[in-house]
Amino acid sequence: MSTTALILTAGFAGLVILGFPFAFAIGLCVLAAIVAAGIEPMLLPQTMVAGTQSFSLLAIPFFMLAGELMSAGGLSQRLVRVADVFVRHLPGGMGWVVIVAALVFAAVSGSAPATTAAIGAVMIPAMIERGYSAAYATALTVSASVLAPLIPPSIAFVIWGVIAEQSIAKLFLSGVLPGLLMAAGLAVIVTIQALREKRPREKHATAVEVKAALREGIWALLAPVVVLGGIYGGAFTPTEAAVVACLYALFVGGVIERRLKWSHLPAVIGRAMSLSAIVMAIVAVSTGFGFLVAQEQMATKLAAWLGANIHEKWIMLAALNIGFFVLAAVMDEIAIMVILGPMLIAIANQFGVDPIHFGAMIVTNVAIGMAAPPIGYCLFVGMAISGLKLWPVARAIMPFIVMMLVVLMLVTYVPTFALALVK
């Protein structure tokens, strides 16, 4: 192994173990590898700038901002109210409300952390008030919120589309059925748990309540129609859709609902900037990492080694899923996508995996990683809302994680789940 490869692998692993933030760990390793290889150090800032100069990546900060505007403008509360009148009478009704509200919110924000914060702020206290344990309420909210990477318009699919140079619109479609399948799995677990605990069911909503909820929530329900309808109707690109989502949320929150004030905007924009900066910093420094990986031909060599030693496609896919799940336990999922993307794509090409199907498989892994202990990002957002420590939430979320892994296996070995709507 060359000095550059050693720095990029062992050096990066060492810095992560020492607790360095991922963006800093990647940047330091890239800089050290550049110096060790005798390459002009200016390569790092040049690749960082080049790596973020993609029109498609503009969707990330705008979808983050759309989610924050929806939350501050009261649209998330309206969505919860609509979901409540339609599904609260089912076994485990409050759990169903969380799932439906998260699905609709995800179809506008594209962000799992934003969905966790918006839906969790409303539903976690409400579930605790109605007798659900804080750990269960947090675990369910986090699990429902990580549907966002699969439901279009997904920020994870935007990033993967840029890395893999694939159609983002097709990638969006590839996540719909896996996302709905995962939502159905959550609903089954919620129902079984409610029946087992003999939890009393809520009364059916009256016609008056339904009309009132729809009247109040109509603007929130129209948001995904505007965004997704515009994308697939050809009115605008996914990046332009992110801007439209921001303008829509700003108009509804400020003019229709009148809950979003000018004084709120600095804090709202600040939160969106903070989340966007975390993602974009990883993307920027990972571009230099990818350049060095390509220069060392690490992806090509790994693909050739796998081709020579693994002859069954299903074994290779299983190995990739296991590897991604293990890495997601100690690394940020976006960093895994950006750093290992070229290697993963080379391996998939070696075995003839459809690139859109492969993207759906990777992003399903990303969704699971955002909820899985010990460092799932959405897990910590949920814990911040409920005030719980890691262990009780980790224990409560395990049935949901197992279900998600079953969905991952279906997506991996039954390509129709990913490709049916694409084709």
Side-chain angles (χ1 to χ4, degrees), residues 226-296:
V226 170
V227 173
L228 299 180
I231 293 174
Y232 293 108
F236 34 74
T237 66
T239 302
E240 292 163 346
V243 179
V244 171
C246 289
L247 294 175
Y248 184 90
L250 187 62
F251 173 76
V252 175
V255 178
I256 305 298
E257 299 290 345
R258 297 187 179 182
R259 293 186 58 178
L260 186 62
K261 308 297 183 184
W262 286 109
S263 59
H264 297 160
L265 290 182
V268 169
I269 294 172
R271 289 194 297 270
M273 288 175 61
S274 178
L275 288 171
S276 301
I278 293 170
V279 175
M280 294 306 294
I282 292 172
V283 171
V285 294
S286 296
T287 306
F289 196 102
F291 172 85
L292 292 172
V293 165
Q295 186 183 55
E296 290 291 307

Side-chain angles (χ1 to χ4, degrees), residues 11-26 28 330 375:
F12 175 70
L15 291 178
V16 170
I17 291 171
L18 290 173
F20 277 69
F22 292 108
F24 284 99
I26 298 166
L28 288 172
V330 294
I375 68 162

Side-chain angles (χ1 to χ4, degrees), residues 37-310:
I39 302 172
E40 170 59 47
M42 279 301 293
L43 176 69
L44 178 57
Q46 288 172 353
T47 55
M48 288 176 66
V49 172
T52 55
Q53 299 304 298
S54 169
F55 180 72
S56 296
L57 289 177
L58 281 173
I60 295 174
F62 283 113
F63 275 128
M64 292 285 192
L65 179 58
E68 293 294 338
L69 288 169
M70 283 189 66
S71 180
L75 295 186
S76 56
Q77 292 93 325
R78 302 296 192 194
L79 287 176
V80 168
R81 169 75 172 146
V82 172
D84 182 68
V85 298
F86 280 106
V87 298
R88 71 186 185 197
H89 61 278
L90 299 172
M94 289 293 285
W96 280 81
V97 173
V98 171
I99 297 165
V100 173
L103 265 176
V104 180
F105 192 90
V108 181
S109 74
S111 165
T115 303
T116 308
I119 302 302
V122 179
M123 289 306 302
I124 291 176
M127 289 186 73
I128 293 172
E129 185 179 333
R130 296 199 193 183
Y132 292 85
S133 73
Y136 176 75
T138 305
L140 176 59
T141 303
V142 169
S143 301
S145 298
V146 299
L147 296 172
L150 292 168
I151 301 299
S154 156
I155 289 174
F157 273 129
V158 171
I159 294 173
W160 185 256
V162 172
I163 295 168
E165 299 180 350
Q166 296 295 320
S167 165
I168 293 174
K170 288 184 178 180
L171 287 169
F172 281 171
L173 285 174
S174 73
V176 173
L177 290 182
L180 293 177
L181 187 62
M182 202 173 284
L186 291 173
V188 168
I189 294 174
V190 164
T191 301
I192 291 173
Q193 184 146 343
L195 293 174
R196 186 176 61 198
E197 295 177 357
K198 297 180 180 178
R199 186 171 291 278
R201 294 166 67 167
E202 303 270 346
K203 292 182 179 179
H204 279 266
T206 64
V208 173
E209 288 177 312
V210 172
K211 287 180 181 179
L214 287 174
R215 185 174 60 251
E216 294 172 359
I218 186 64
W219 290 100
L221 293 173
L222 284 175
V225 176
V226 170
V227 173
L228 299 180
I231 293 174
Y232 293 108
F236 34 74
T237 66
T239 302
E240 292 163 346
V243 179
V244 171
C246 289
L247 294 175
Y248 184 90
L250 187 62
F251 173 76
V252 175
V255 178
I256 305 298
E257 299 290 345
R258 297 187 179 182
R259 293 186 58 178
L260 186 62
K261 308 297 183 184
W262 286 109
S263 59
H264 297 160
L265 290 182
V268 169
I269 294 172
R271 289 194 297 270
M273 288 175 61
S274 178
L275 288 171
S276 301
I278 293 170
V279 175
M280 294 306 294
I282 292 172
V283 171
V285 294
S286 296
T287 306
F289 196 102
F291 172 85
L292 292 172
V293 165
Q295 186 183 55
E296 290 291 307
Q297 296 185 316
M298 293 169 65
T300 306
K301 291 174 182 176
L302 179 59
W305 182 87
L306 287 172
N309 293 276
I310 298 179

Side-chain angles (χ1 to χ4, degrees), residues 112-117 120 124 134-146 328-329 333 366-398 400-401 404:
T115 303
T116 308
I124 291 176
Y136 176 75
T138 305
L140 176 59
T141 303
V142 169
S143 301
S145 298
V146 299
E333 293 75 27
V366 168
I368 297 171
M370 286 185 168
I375 68 162
Y377 186 66
C378 292
L379 202 64
F380 286 96
V381 176
M383 287 159 51
I385 296 170
S386 64
L388 295 177
K389 300 294 185 182
L390 176 62
W391 171 242
V393 180
R395 185 170 54 186
I397 207 170
M398 278 306 154
F400 301 115
I401 296 296
M404 292 179 191

